[in-house]
Amino acid sequence: MRSTLMTSLITSLIISLMLCSIAISNSHATVYRWVDENGKVHYSDEPKGNAEAVELNQNTQNNISVAIPAAIEPNKKAAEPITYRVRIVNPTEEETIRNNQGNFTVVASAAPELPNGYLLALYIDDILYGQPQSGAIFSVTEVNRGEHNLVVKILTQNGKVLASSSARKIFLHQASIALKAKPTPMPAKN
């Protein structure tokens, strides 16, 4: 990037110097002044029928100077890419979650702190759950009972994966409706 910037600066400097040399060579040309039939005054470098040569004072000429930028030293050490890490904090490995509605919470942790625009995405059994989000707490609802694998990924806004957690195996337990105890009526008090 710096070499492109340096090339651009040098190209701009060369173009500026060429324009200055053209302006300086034209500054020695004779300027003619004439008035047309409507009384309008004109100036040109070519003489017309009733044109008069105009004397230019030294203070009416433009002088242009271009400052040459100091050489920019290339960066000796390229910036090291940031390595992001993400892990699932909760639920724990092989945890059994008991919830009849299939609801639970997944908490992730990312390091170093994610800049604005980076998102976290939860995958349940290799399927994206909901939309990627900036927060690290996912509220999961209506998941069927059984064994599930959870993975959290750090994504850029265009979907590039920067980091991925290791898979976390959980078990979701839902009590069977058939096993629900039926309420027994209490005897009436006399």
Side-chain angles (χ1 to χ4, degrees):
M1 169 131 176
R2 289 197 173 234
S3 64
T4 306
L5 178 64
M6 188 63 158
T7 303
S8 177
L9 285 171
I10 291 172
T11 304
S12 297
L13 179 63
I14 290 171
I15 292 172
S16 297
L17 290 174
M18 289 173 53
L19 290 173
C20 287
S21 66
I22 292 170
I24 290 171
S25 67
N26 285 340
S27 68
H28 298 294
T30 305
V31 176
Y32 298 95
R33 177 183 180 271
W34 76 92
V35 179
D36 66 11
E37 59 274 356
N38 297 325
K40 191 172 184 180
V41 178
H42 298 275
Y43 292 91
S44 176
D45 59 349
E46 296 177 9
K48 298 292 181 195
N50 62 347
E52 303 171 348
V54 177
E55 289 288 326
L56 297 177
N57 296 331
Q58 190 65 18
N59 61 357
T60 61
Q61 296 181 7
N62 293 330
N63 294 321
I64 300 173
S65 61
V66 177
I68 299 173
I72 300 172
E73 290 186 29
N75 232 354
K76 294 178 184 174
K77 184 178 177 183
E80 294 181 23
I82 298 173
T83 302
Y84 291 99
R85 294 175 309 282
V86 62
R87 65 184 185 94
I88 298 174
V89 178
N90 191 42
T92 58
E93 179 67 23
E94 296 189 0
E95 180 177 336
T96 298
I97 300 170
R98 298 178 190 323
N99 188 289
N100 287 337
Q101 288 76 33
N103 302 339
F104 60 96
T105 301
V106 176
V107 179
S109 172
E113 185 177 332
L114 299 178
N116 288 339
Y118 285 27
L119 302 171
L120 294 169
L122 174 64
Y123 289 81
I124 300 177
D125 300 324
D126 295 325
I127 298 172
L128 177 63
Y129 180 83
Q131 293 294 318
Q133 61 188 39
S134 58
I137 299 174
F138 298 89
S139 295
V140 180
T141 60
E142 300 178 1
V143 175
N144 292 330
R145 66 182 177 188
E147 179 182 315
H148 298 284
N149 287 307
L150 309 176
V151 174
V152 175
K153 296 180 181 181
I154 299 174
L155 307 174
T156 61
Q157 285 185 334
N158 63 1
K160 179 181 176 187
V161 177
L162 297 178
S164 182
S165 71
S166 57
R168 176 71 49 98
K169 184 187 300 184
I170 63 160
F171 303 99
L172 185 60
H173 178 75
Q174 295 172 338
S176 172
I177 295 175
L179 298 178
K180 281 191 173 179
K182 294 182 181 177
T184 52
M186 298 293 284
K189 292 185 183 180
N190 289 353

